[in-house]
Every structure is written in structure tokens, then in C-alpha cells.
Amino acid sequence: PISRQGTRREATERTGVLALVQRIGPDTVPAFGAALLMLTRGDSTMAVEALEGVARELPVDGGAPDVFGYAGRIAVELERPDLAGPLLKAALRLDPQGVAAPQAEYHLARSYQLAGENDSAMQQLEHLILEFPDSAMLPMARRLFDKLRGAIPSRSEAGR
């Protein structure tokens, strides 16, 4: 059973992983599980690479875009835009209108931001805002867009 302890974010993460497992099918679950084990053991970069391998083996309708997007999000969390960008672009290329597309678009914008490519980040966010106006990612996308545009100071600037 899934532990009831932890933060809301951790619970959301567990739910997302379970949804991915349902999408990928039984043949890929062992490799996916091995990648998750790497992640829980703290070998995040290797986990991202393993998830990319899993995604490459999956059909588009069998979770490939979702796994690419998940791997890309982890790479963004690691502040590795060099890893994140190609993974997130692969997710969007495979399924630009899918359920996971808004999240992939947001994280791709974050990877651009991490790489110092703020204009590209703003273009990506603008696309997300216009293309997916009902997405749950919209508030975060608008906030990041405003921050990049200079309307919202970063936390470090706000504390000065």
C-alpha cells in the first residue's frame, strides 16, 4: 500500500507515477520500476537516462510522451536543461495536444529559463497559455511568464 505519510506534493507525485504505470503496459513496467528505484536511491541523472530508454521503447499511445515528459520534469528539477530540453521536446513532438502536453510545455519553458534563454521561455509559456487556456498549469505558467517579463520580482530580489 502507498504510505499516507508525506507532503501533498509527494502524494501527487505517487499518483502521477501510478498513472504512468497504467499507461505503459506490463512489458515495460520492470524497466520503469528500475528507473524509479534509481530515482529513490538518489541517482537522479541515471534515472533520467533510464526513463529516456523506457520512453524510446514505448509506442506513442502507450505512454511514450508521458514518460519523456516525466523524465524531462525530473531533469528540470535537477537544473539540467541540457537533459530536459530534448526530453520535453520529444514528448511534445510525439503528442503536442495530449494530456501531458501542458505540463511538458511548462517544464520546457523552465528548462529554457534555467539555460538563460528567457525569450524562448516566454514564447513557450505564451504558447501554453494560448493553446491550453483550461489547463491546470495555467496559473504557474502565467506567474513564470510575469516573472520573466519583470512584473514579479524573484524571491531574492523581493528580500532586498
Side-chain angles (χ1 to χ4, degrees):
I2 294 176
S3 170
R4 292 177 187 233
Q5 297 177 340
T7 66
R8 173 177 272 164
R9 182 171 190 241
E10 290 167 340
T12 301
E13 180 73 19
R14 286 190 300 269
T15 302
V17 168
L18 289 173
L20 278 174
V21 169
Q22 287 180 321
R23 294 279 323 261
I24 64 175
D27 292 342
T28 315
V29 169
F32 184 76
L36 292 179
L37 184 59
M38 289 178 208
L39 193 59
T40 59
R41 289 184 174 164
D43 197 355
S44 302
T45 302
M46 290 294 291
V48 167
E49 292 170 2
L51 287 167
E52 179 181 12
V54 169
R56 290 192 185 286
E57 298 297 318
L58 293 169
V60 172
D61 63 350
D66 306 273
V67 177
F68 274 121
Y70 181 61
R73 183 175 61 79
I74 293 168
V76 167
E77 290 172 4
L78 294 172
E79 297 186 0
R80 292 287 310 271
D82 57 313
L83 293 175
L87 295 166
L88 295 163
K89 288 175 186 176
L92 291 167
R93 185 176 54 254
L94 292 173
D95 194 6
Q97 297 297 316
V99 175
Q103 189 173 43
E105 292 223 17
Y106 175 78
H107 291 294
L108 181 56
R110 289 270 299 117
S111 76
Y112 286 139
Q113 178 195 23
L114 289 169
E117 300 174 24
N118 289 350
D119 287 342
S120 295
M122 289 177 67
Q123 288 175 5
Q124 194 70 47
L125 290 166
E126 189 173 58
H127 183 265
L128 165 60
I129 291 165
L130 295 173
E131 192 70 27
F132 301 100
D134 298 324
S135 170
M137 299 301 295
L138 210 58
M140 291 171 39
R142 284 189 174 139
R143 180 161 176 78
L144 181 56
F145 185 85
D146 289 344
K147 179 182 175 185
L148 291 170
R149 194 175 58 195
I152 298 175
S154 66
R155 287 190 181 128
S156 61
E157 291 171 352
R160 289 183 191 171

